[in-house]
Amino acid sequence: LQTPPSLHLCCTLRTAEPGVKDRFLNDLRRALDSALEKKRSKDDPNAKEKGGSAAIYGATASVPAGPVSAILRAYTDIQLTVVGDSGGASD
């Protein structure tokens, strides 16, 4: 998701509620305007360097696959657990 720069969006029931699309598009436009303004100021040779944050996507590329897989597996299990589910087959 870093190279080339991109956007990852998951569509869920929550993002499909009335009005969410319009708010998302407005927020996206504001974020894009802000990012473009920052890029323009960075390209300005007279602009002073300002603090920022590094992208985190792709950071897992520097971590061994084993721990990343274990964490993702545990997270997915937690997210997909049905409340009240004992985790075993019923008798």
Side-chain angles (χ1 to χ4, degrees):
L1 293 178
Q2 274 181 237
T3 306
S6 59
L7 171 72
H8 177 204
L9 173 67
C10 294
C11 294
T12 64
L13 289 175
R14 188 84 170 117
T15 58
E17 290 180 0
V20 172
K21 175 190 73 163
D22 294 327
R23 288 193 313 268
F24 171 75
L25 290 174
N26 287 333
D27 289 346
L28 182 60
R29 284 183 190 102
R30 286 192 356 242
L32 181 58
D33 288 344
S34 175
L36 290 172
E37 182 59 37
K38 286 180 184 178
K39 178 165 178 15
R40 282 190 286 270
S41 67
K42 244 185 190 178
D43 292 340
D44 181 355
N46 297 319
K48 291 185 178 179
E49 186 64 31
K50 297 179 181 177
S53 60
I56 60 167
Y57 288 110
T60 57
S62 61
V63 178
V68 172
S69 294
I71 291 168
L72 292 175
R73 199 172 303 112
Y75 175 80
T76 302
D77 287 345
I78 291 167
Q79 291 300 310
L80 297 177
T81 299
V82 176
V83 175
D85 184 11
S86 64
S90 60
D91 294 324

